[in-house]
Amino acid sequence: MGLVPDRDTEGHTHRDVNGGWLRPAVFGAMDGLVSNFALIAGMDGGTSPGSKVVVLAGLAGLVAGAFSMAAGEYTSVASQRELARAEIEVERREIRNHPTYEERELAETYEAKGLDPALAGEVAHQFHANPDQALEEHVREELGINPNDLPNPVVAAASSFICFAVGAFLPLLPYLLGAGDVIPAMIVSLLALFGCGALVSRVTTRSWWYSGLRQLLLGGAAAAVTYAIGSLAGTTLG
């Protein structure tokens, strides 16, 4: 009697863990929310109630931060992509100039994973029958990357820019709606921090409440310290 496939696991799929959008999107949203919340809190602590300087600082922080994040993310991912391509070309030359050695190297990799030497050699030989497949397999095994799925710097930069701007806009919103102190911005920001942390838990193994609470505490602490420094500086400079 054959084994009955498990309907809950048969044909399962995995989420994209190598794409170039998730990390900059999450980092951008969190950074925009925390940095602009802290900036606004600091300015609020150091200026008179209802000062328009707070709004101006928040808008400047949003625009400058979004462009800075996008530029930094683009440069970082583009450099990573260029390095990966350079190493792929090194491997391509090695396969072309030393095919026998590279085939044996691939076979030894399979042997180290537990394959029988004869089977490992046969698998490596079949891969090397096609230079493109051989290159892809060597790159996967030696560099740990998929040469056909390298991170896209444009996607990373756009994700970072948009998510930072959205995150940075939230603590500014109460002021644009007429708030005269930091309390409404604090409530909105802390709720958003918890919500962002809880949302991130959907792509991790952490529970939603742990991720949400962790982000709330970290962002709240940053804003509290900045508010205290702003209050002290405002008193001293005033």
Side-chain angles (χ1 to χ4, degrees), residues 130-182:
N130 184 322
D132 292 333
Q133 287 186 346
L135 175 64
E136 184 173 331
E137 191 66 11
H138 276 275
V139 170
R140 288 179 187 272
E141 294 293 339
E142 297 179 32
L143 301 179
I145 60 176
N146 182 350
N148 300 316
D149 189 27
L150 297 178
N152 188 320
V154 175
V155 171
S159 299
S160 183
F161 181 93
I162 294 171
C163 292
F164 184 98
V166 171
F169 180 74
L170 291 176
L172 184 60
L173 180 60
Y175 286 95
L176 296 177
L177 295 177
D181 57 46
V182 77

Side-chain angles (χ1 to χ4, degrees), residues 8-233:
D8 293 332
T9 59
E10 184 181 17
H12 72 284
T13 59
H14 292 285
R15 291 167 293 189
D16 177 18
V17 298
N18 292 319
W21 66 270
L22 180 59
R23 184 189 65 82
V26 172
F27 182 61
M30 295 297 188
D31 191 32
L33 183 54
V34 173
S35 63
N36 223 31
F37 176 33
L39 173 62
I40 288 172
M43 292 298 297
D44 189 277
T47 58
S48 59
S51 174
K52 294 183 179 180
V53 174
V54 177
V55 176
L56 180 60
L59 288 172
L62 187 158
V63 175
F67 277 104
S68 176
M69 285 288 294
E73 198 65 44
Y74 181 89
T75 302
S76 174
V77 174
S79 299
Q80 178 187 358
R81 185 184 180 96
E82 290 161 4
L83 174 61
R85 284 180 167 175
E87 291 302 310
I88 290 171
E89 288 306 310
V90 169
E91 195 62 36
R92 190 192 304 275
R93 288 195 301 270
E94 289 299 309
I95 292 173
R96 182 175 61 246
N97 297 332
H98 309 287
T100 302
Y101 175 82
E102 290 296 314
E103 181 177 326
R104 183 56 199 160
E105 183 183 52
L106 187 58
E108 289 175 351
T109 300
Y110 296 143
E111 289 180 37
K113 291 185 175 183
L115 267 65
D116 178 86
L119 178 58
E122 178 61 25
V123 172
H125 181 70
Q126 289 194 23
F127 271 118
H128 272 260
N130 184 322
D132 292 333
Q133 287 186 346
L135 175 64
E136 184 173 331
E137 191 66 11
H138 276 275
V139 170
R140 288 179 187 272
E141 294 293 339
E142 297 179 32
L143 301 179
I145 60 176
N146 182 350
N148 300 316
D149 189 27
L150 297 178
N152 188 320
V154 175
V155 171
S159 299
S160 183
F161 181 93
I162 294 171
C163 292
F164 184 98
V166 171
F169 180 74
L170 291 176
L172 184 60
L173 180 60
Y175 286 95
L176 296 177
L177 295 177
D181 57 46
V182 77
I183 300 300
M186 179 184 70
I187 294 172
V188 170
S189 298
L190 292 179
L191 288 174
L193 284 166
F194 185 87
C196 286
L199 184 63
V200 169
S201 71
R202 295 184 61 85
V203 294
T204 68
T205 58
R206 292 291 189 180
S207 62
W208 64 270
W209 61 266
Y210 177 90
S211 295
L213 187 60
R214 177 178 61 182
Q215 196 59 41
L216 184 151
L217 291 175
L218 291 174
V225 171
T226 310
Y227 181 86
I229 294 173
S231 297
L232 180 62

